[in-house]
Amino acid sequence: MPILPDWVNYTFPPKIHFEADCGYKVGSFVKNIGSRTVIFSTQQELENMDELSIIKTSLEKHIDGVILYDDIIKEPTLEELDTAAYFAKIANADCIIGYGSFESISMSKIIALLVTNDVFAEELLNDKKAKLKKPLPLILIPTHPVFGLECSPISTVLLGEERVIKYFSHELLFPELIIADPKISSFMSSSDISKVGVGILAAAVDTILSKFSTELTISSALRAIELLQKNLIPSIRDPKNINYKNGLYAASLLTGIAQSSSSLGLCFALSLASSHITNLDIFQSMSILLPHVMEYNLTSSAGKYVMIARALDEDITNISVIEAAIKAVEGIRKIFIELKIPQRLSEYEVRKIDLPLIANLASSFPFLDSLPRELPRNEIETILVAAF
């Protein structure tokens, strides 16, 4: 399921500004991209209003106009995306800022594309052969690391009255600029950091296991795992420490750079489906499902697991490849045990009756095309049962 044309195996066009406490500089960055901007965020993800106020003040000093659009409560529908894009048009915006977490960043990518193309959201998502114009320049400011979504050209949206989740990818969804400021995430608790950190870890592993991975994407994702191994637990113990947060943000950016040219995989597909059907959020789902997905893929990707074990600082000297691969799974479980992360879906009140629904939805996502081994639908259910 590569996003890029098959004649390109690596590209990363976005610019990145990675600096702690740079909110007061945002206007000086944005003025190089546009002069009238709309900030999009869902109400649910409108976090750290103090930092957002600093960002808005900086924008007002350097550009002609800035408006905050927060009419969308949480996951946007097609109609809400169309309305938001229309608002940006009548506001004469020449760039868009996405501020928030998973949903805000995801929807901002689609809105930027809708503004410049004379189509509705439903047509955009369903007409795969449509020739699209370049989107409005998009600047993303994640309020915390989002397992690489802030970098990659992928998005999700709810379709129809049944609110079925739809995955959408396109090379035009790359943002123009990512502003990664660890200070914005100062509101996060130790529990929040734990969920987000394991989400990044899961995405990095998914990206490495993809059959579309290359030496470049694998190197980036392995470095992300090394940074997580060094910074995640210290950050949870000292959630206000910016240095540890820097490591987590860097890991997320590296994971996003890797997945942009490779692909997410089974863990993300299952997690996306689980978060839609149950009360789990995407980060919780990824943390529970990662070890089970790794166990399923162990024999087909043993060589990659050896690299993951090394990145986790596991001792793999004088043992076989399979034994070293098992060390990778054990290394993940050690982190989970130390973080006291629940290891079962049932611990989050997920019902067993939901598992076939999750498997069915997960099988509809194109991520499964990237797996190192074929995965029948009944085996998806087997993995979910093991995680239950």
Side-chain angles (χ1 to χ4, degrees):
M1 192 220 59
I3 297 167
L4 303 172
D6 58 9
W7 54 274
V8 179
N9 62 17
Y10 190 89
T11 186
F12 188 72
K15 305 173 185 69
I16 295 176
H17 186 88
F18 180 21
E19 179 187 7
D21 196 16
C22 67
Y24 67 96
K25 298 180 182 179
V26 167
S28 62
F29 305 151
V30 174
K31 72 177 183 180
N32 299 302
I33 296 172
S35 59
R36 290 180 62 84
T37 189
V38 179
I39 301 174
F40 286 98
S41 181
T42 67
Q43 293 178 23
Q44 194 175 52
E45 296 179 353
L46 202 54
E47 300 159 316
N48 202 335
M49 293 302 293
D50 290 341
E51 282 297 318
L52 181 58
S53 178
I54 292 170
I55 290 168
K56 281 192 68 182
T57 300
S58 176
L59 288 166
E60 288 161 355
K61 286 180 181 177
H62 290 89
I63 63 175
D64 297 335
V66 55
I67 304 169
L68 172 63
Y69 185 95
D70 60 352
D71 289 0
I72 298 172
I73 297 173
K74 44 182 184 178
E75 304 99 330
T77 62
L78 295 173
E79 293 76 15
E80 286 175 323
L81 289 171
D82 290 331
T83 301
Y86 178 71
F87 180 87
K89 285 181 183 179
I90 62 173
N92 294 318
D94 57 9
C95 77
I96 281 174
I97 294 176
Y99 177 91
S101 183
F102 183 84
E103 298 297 346
S104 300
I105 286 174
S106 186
M107 76 178 187
S108 297
K109 295 175 184 178
I110 295 178
I111 292 168
L113 198 52
L114 287 172
V115 172
T116 57
N117 287 275
D118 193 21
V119 294
F120 291 110
E122 185 173 9
E123 298 170 289
L124 177 72
L125 298 174
N126 290 327
D127 188 356
K128 295 181 180 179
K129 295 182 179 180
K131 291 186 177 180
L132 299 172
K133 301 174 186 175
K134 287 185 177 180
L136 221 56
L138 173 64
I139 300 157
L140 295 178
I141 307 177
T143 51
H144 57 74
V146 197
F147 58 82
L149 182 71
E150 62 269 43
C151 297
S152 55
I154 66 173
S155 185
T156 59
V157 69
L158 297 176
L159 294 179
E161 294 181 1
E162 297 82 12
R163 295 171 68 82
V164 176
I165 197 163
K166 167 85 172 182
Y167 164 83
F168 178 62
S169 65
H170 198 288
E171 57 188 305
L172 291 178
L173 292 183
F174 274 118
E176 180 84 8
L177 171 66
I178 302 137
I179 299 174
D181 179 357
K183 186 169 180 282
I184 294 177
S185 67
S186 61
F187 67 92
M188 296 179 73
S189 66
S190 295
S191 176
D192 295 330
I193 295 169
S194 174
K195 285 197 308 181
V196 167
V198 174
I200 301 169
L201 181 60
V205 171
D206 247 7
T207 304
I208 291 169
L209 297 183
S210 168
K211 69 182 182 184
F212 302 115
S213 62
T214 65
E215 288 188 5
L216 293 171
T217 63
I218 290 172
S219 296
S220 182
L222 286 172
R223 179 56 181 158
I225 292 173
E226 290 174 356
L227 287 167
L228 285 163
Q229 195 273 333
K230 292 175 182 175
N231 292 283
L232 179 54
I233 291 172
S235 184
I236 289 166
R237 290 172 179 164
D238 186 4
K240 300 299 180 185
N241 189 304
I242 291 294
N243 291 328
Y244 298 138
K245 289 273 186 68
N246 275 338
L248 300 186
Y249 266 80
S252 185
L253 292 169
L254 287 166
T255 300
I257 291 169
Q259 69 187 233
S260 295
S261 297
S262 179
S263 172
L264 289 165
L266 177 57
C267 188
F268 185 65
L270 289 172
S271 301
L272 197 58
S274 298
S275 64
H276 178 65
I277 289 170
T278 72
N279 291 324
L280 289 169
D281 66 35
I282 188 79
F283 300 97
Q284 291 167 328
S285 300
M286 293 177 85
S287 68
I288 295 170
L289 292 164
L290 174 60
H292 302 281
V293 169
M294 288 188 72
E295 285 175 350
Y296 177 80
N297 285 315
L298 192 147
T299 55
S300 62
S301 304
K304 291 181 176 180
Y305 277 53
V306 173
M307 293 188 285
I308 292 170
R310 287 198 190 100
L312 291 169
D313 204 24
E314 290 290 315
D315 183 5
I316 56 172
T317 54
N318 301 320
I319 58 176
S320 70
V321 171
I322 291 297
E323 288 172 323
I326 292 170
K327 285 275 190 178
V329 182
E330 290 176 352
I332 297 290
R333 290 201 182 276
K334 284 180 191 174
I335 293 173
F336 282 28
I337 290 168
E338 187 157 0
L339 298 182
K340 298 179 180 177
I341 292 174
Q343 307 263 322
R344 299 286 171 188
L345 292 168
S346 55
E347 294 181 63
Y348 285 101
E349 298 182 357
V350 175
R351 302 173 304 169
K352 203 162 190 177
I353 196 174
D354 292 329
L355 301 186
L357 298 174
I358 294 170
N360 189 54
L361 180 56
S363 65
S364 72
F365 297 133
F367 302 108
L368 303 190
D369 297 342
S370 72
L371 300 184
R373 58 184 288 198
E374 189 177 345
L375 181 64
R377 185 180 172 283
N378 66 312
E379 290 199 45
I380 299 179
E381 284 193 45
T382 301
I383 294 169
L384 289 169
V385 170
F388 186 79

